[in-house]
């Protein structure tokens, strides 16, 4: 791919497309009543996401909804409210809803004390009917993971863990306010494996201040010594207008689009050489991992946690700012902790906004998901299955035609294929089928 196209598309900003439409399209016209109706109509197994919006210190690159607390009190109070929300959701859904996947995210979910984590799991088990093979995943900060918490995770049936690593380069770590040694990470991994947690993911980031291709490669070299089953490799999204703590990062130290692309490709090359399968835009997995298998057979999905094997159509989001997905659309809880807690304390589902899907939205969502997962999509087949004529997707689609002219993608019959050497630009191709892109004034992350 030419440097001019890397500059043209790599520096452009596009959604990550973990949902469609994306969150800026949500509105307050969808609230607790609409969510309750959706919950009452659940007929199949669901997934549950629990958001724990607390950390002990702020990593300056962070784009998550989280706040800093040195005390345990605010965490304990929040978990009490979340337990009440679980009861509200369970009541609205009619209880005994089968549960297939659980994911604790944050923030730092393991900021909880071991007994608090066990209590949340007990509340979930009382509110939902866990399937025999239900999977439980937890996001972890290795710097603060202690033995009692590791034991609590194992005793609660956690089978997947995602560890924040980002970079092992101390120079980069100093620039993002996250000092984390390889030894800390190694101790965490060994502890998690000792209690039976069989699938471990590392999060890595490129495009950070003072980061170089060499430091990216060195991070990968260390990471693969611990042989995580999966790695997610994200490009840093610098959006200081929305995340004020990112203003502590010196923009002059950030790599440009060409350098970011070189870093991403260097990481990918090292991981592939180490035996990992490249999956989608930014994930890697060992060949026998479930995600790699799903990618090969075309059943991989994409949701708010990124690439996944989760095939549930319903995702129940719990906690402040959490987003849920129903077959009919999306709902999001209030972001401010006080407002979230106030609504739940009043016995009201804390839904702040959402979006009800049209049939056209559902078609566009399927198209974008297949592009993000497979780098190709059969527009004719999906249009026919959805009862639409393919013409409206291609005719007068100036964005798509520009991408085709630039060689970023090709079209053969009704099939769109992202060019092999332009895969890092897949979000630009997905945006060509986004009916709302650019209409909400939201700044997204860079394509590369």
């Amino acid at each position: 791919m030419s440097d001019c196209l890397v500059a043209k598309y790599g520096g452009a900003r596009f959604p990550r497309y973990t949902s469609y439409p994306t969150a800026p399209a949500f509105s307050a016209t969808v609230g607790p009543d609409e969510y309750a109706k959706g919950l009452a109509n659940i007929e199949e197994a669901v997934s549950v996401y629990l958001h724990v919006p607390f950390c002990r210190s702020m990593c300056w690159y962070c784009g998550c909804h989280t706040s800093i607390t040195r005390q345990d009190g605010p965490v304990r109070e929040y978990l009490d409210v979340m337990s009440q929300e679980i009861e509200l959701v369970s009541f609205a859904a009619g209880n005994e809803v089968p549960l297939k996947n659980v994911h604790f995210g944050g923030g730092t979910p393991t900021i909880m004390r071991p007994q608090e984590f066990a209590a949340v799991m007990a509340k979930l088990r009382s509110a939902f009917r866990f399937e025999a093979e239900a999977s439980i995943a937890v996001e972890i900060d290795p710097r603060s993971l202690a033995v009692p918490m590791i034991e609590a995770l194992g005793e609660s049936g956690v089978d997947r863990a995602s560890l924040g690593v980002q970079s092992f380069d101390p120079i980069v770590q100093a620039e993002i306010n996250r000092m984390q040694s390889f030894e800390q990470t190694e101790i965490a991994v060994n502890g998690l494996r000792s209690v039976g947690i069989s699938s471990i993911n590392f999060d890595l980031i490129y495009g950070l201040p003072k980061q170089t291709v060499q430091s990216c490669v060195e991070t990968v070299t260390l990471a693969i010594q611990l042989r995580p089953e999966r790695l997610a490799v994200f490009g840093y999204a610098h959006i200081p207008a929305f995340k004020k703590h990112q203003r502590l990062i010196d923009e002059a130290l950030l790599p440009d689009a060409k350098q970011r692309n070189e870093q991403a490709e260097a990481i990918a090359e090292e991981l592939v050489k180490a035996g990992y399968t490249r999956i989608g835009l930014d994930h890697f997995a060992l060949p026998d991992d479930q995600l790699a298998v799903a990618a090969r057979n075309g059943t991989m999905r994409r949701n708010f946690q990124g690439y996944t094997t989760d095939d549930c159509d319903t995702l129940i989001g719990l906690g402040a700012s959490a987003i849920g997905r129903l077959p009919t659309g999306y709902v999001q809880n209030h972001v401010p902790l006080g407002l979230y807690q106030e609504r739940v304390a009043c016995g009201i589902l804390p839904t702040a906004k959402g979006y009800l899907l049209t049939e056209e939205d559902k078609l566009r969502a399927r198209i974008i998901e297949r592009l993000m997962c497979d780098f190709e999509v059969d527009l004719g087949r999906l249009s026919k299955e959805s009862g639409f004529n393919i013409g409206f997707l291609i005719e007068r689609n100036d964005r798509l035609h520009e991408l085709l002219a630039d060689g970023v993608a090709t079209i053969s019959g009704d099939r769109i294929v992202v060019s092999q050497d332009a895969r890092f630009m897949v979000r630009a191709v997905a945006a060509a089928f986004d009916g709302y892109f650019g209409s909400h004034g939201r700044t997204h992350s860079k394509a590369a």
Side-chain angles (χ1 to χ4, degrees):
M1 182 60 60
S2 67
D3 289 347
C4 65
L5 286 184
V6 171
K8 178 178 180 179
Y9 292 105
R13 295 182 180 271
F14 300 99
R16 293 191 182 276
Y17 290 117
T18 53
S19 73
Y20 180 83
T22 55
F26 297 0
S27 77
T29 58
V30 176
D33 291 342
E34 289 75 19
Y35 186 30
K37 291 176 184 176
L39 290 171
N41 290 321
I42 292 175
E43 297 179 350
E44 298 180 344
V46 304
S47 294
V48 170
Y49 171 78
L50 301 94
H51 188 66
V52 183
F54 297 100
C55 294
R56 294 302 187 199
S57 63
M58 181 63 75
C59 302
W60 294 344
Y61 63 84
C62 183
C64 301
H65 290 299
T66 190
S67 58
I68 306 306
T69 180
R70 300 291 185 182
Q71 306 299 320
D72 291 335
V75 178
R76 184 165 55 251
E77 293 172 7
Y78 177 82
L79 295 176
D80 288 342
V81 176
M82 181 183 283
S83 292
Q84 296 175 50
E85 186 190 3
I86 293 172
E87 293 176 358
L88 291 174
V89 168
S90 178
F91 178 78
N95 299 309
E96 288 298 304
V97 171
L99 190 152
K100 194 172 182 178
N101 299 280
V102 177
H103 189 108
F104 287 84
T108 305
T110 48
I111 200 172
M112 287 184 261
R113 292 179 297 180
Q115 61 269 35
E116 291 169 343
F117 184 83
V120 173
M121 285 302 304
K123 176 64 71 171
L124 287 174
R125 292 186 184 279
S126 70
F128 298 93
R129 177 165 51 83
F130 275 59
E131 294 194 341
E133 300 300 321
S135 179
I136 304 170
V138 181
E139 296 175 11
I140 292 172
D141 183 344
R143 299 173 299 171
S144 57
L145 185 65
V147 171
M149 190 61 185
I150 292 174
E151 293 172 346
L153 297 177
E155 291 168 359
S156 297
V158 173
D159 61 318
R160 294 187 294 121
S162 182
L163 279 62
V165 171
Q166 324 319 343
S167 171
F168 282 124
D169 183 350
I171 295 175
V172 175
Q173 291 178 352
E175 295 296 329
I176 60 175
N177 195 41
R178 186 188 176 96
M179 302 306 296
Q180 176 179 326
S181 68
F182 173 80
E183 289 72 24
Q184 286 175 308
T185 309
E186 182 179 33
I187 290 170
V189 169
N190 291 340
L192 293 167
R193 293 206 186 279
S194 73
V195 297
I197 295 176
S198 59
S199 180
I200 291 178
N201 172 83
F202 283 0
D203 286 343
L204 305 183
I205 297 182
Y206 63 88
L208 293 169
K210 292 191 178 179
Q211 202 166 27
T212 65
V213 167
Q214 180 179 348
S215 70
C216 287
V217 170
E218 290 171 351
T219 289
V220 172
T221 300
L222 288 172
I224 60 179
Q225 290 182 27
L226 302 178
R227 210 60 177 172
E229 281 68 28
R230 302 178 187 177
L231 297 99
V233 183
F234 303 115
Y236 168 58
H238 191 62
I239 44 174
F242 292 93
K243 297 296 178 182
K244 293 182 180 180
H245 54 266
Q246 291 188 351
R247 297 174 187 174
L248 297 169
I249 290 178
D250 185 352
E251 292 188 9
L253 302 179
L254 295 173
D256 60 24
K258 182 174 184 294
Q259 292 169 327
R260 285 169 61 93
N261 183 53
E262 290 172 347
Q263 290 175 12
E265 289 305 309
I267 291 172
E269 182 179 348
E270 291 301 311
L271 288 173
V272 171
K273 284 197 304 186
Y276 288 87
T277 300
R278 191 171 187 173
I279 295 170
L281 176 65
D282 48 22
H283 281 47
F284 298 81
L286 294 175
D288 58 351
D289 182 86
Q290 290 181 351
L291 190 65
V293 174
R296 287 196 297 271
N297 63 26
T299 60
M300 185 169 67
R301 302 292 302 275
R302 188 164 174 83
N303 65 15
F304 298 110
Q305 281 71 60
Y307 291 109
T308 179
T309 58
D310 182 355
D311 59 358
C312 293
D313 290 328
T314 298
L315 171 69
I316 294 174
L318 299 168
S321 81
I323 300 177
R325 183 191 67 241
L326 298 164
T328 54
Y330 299 96
V331 291
Q332 182 172 16
N333 284 349
H334 286 283
V335 174
L337 290 178
L339 193 53
Y340 162 75
Q341 293 172 321
E342 175 187 310
R343 291 292 191 271
V344 175
C346 292
I348 302 171
L349 289 168
T351 311
K353 56 185 177 179
Y355 186 92
L356 297 179
L357 295 165
T358 67
E359 292 305 311
E360 181 180 328
D361 290 330
K362 293 176 184 178
L363 170 59
R364 290 182 180 275
R366 293 181 68 192
I367 291 170
I368 289 172
E369 183 176 44
R370 290 334 315 155
L371 279 168
M372 294 299 297
C373 290
D374 307 330
F375 296 102
E376 62 179 69
V377 62
D378 188 337
L379 296 178
R381 179 178 64 82
L382 295 186
S383 298
K384 184 177 180 180
E385 291 175 356
S386 301
F388 284 88
N389 187 304
I390 189 177
F392 84 102
L393 294 169
I394 299 177
E395 296 170 4
R396 295 188 297 278
N397 190 336
D398 295 338
R399 189 181 300 275
L400 174 62
H401 291 299
E402 183 177 9
L403 290 160
L404 295 173
D406 286 341
V408 174
T410 60
I411 184 168
S412 178
D414 296 337
R415 184 177 295 275
I416 302 290
V417 179
V418 180
S419 300
Q420 185 69 33
D421 60 349
R423 289 192 165 195
F424 76 97
M425 302 179 192
V426 64
R427 288 191 289 154
V429 183
F433 297 97
D434 182 344
Y436 306 98
F437 180 69
S439 62
H440 299 288
R442 176 68 178 267
T443 299
H444 300 286
S445 60
K446 292 182 179 181

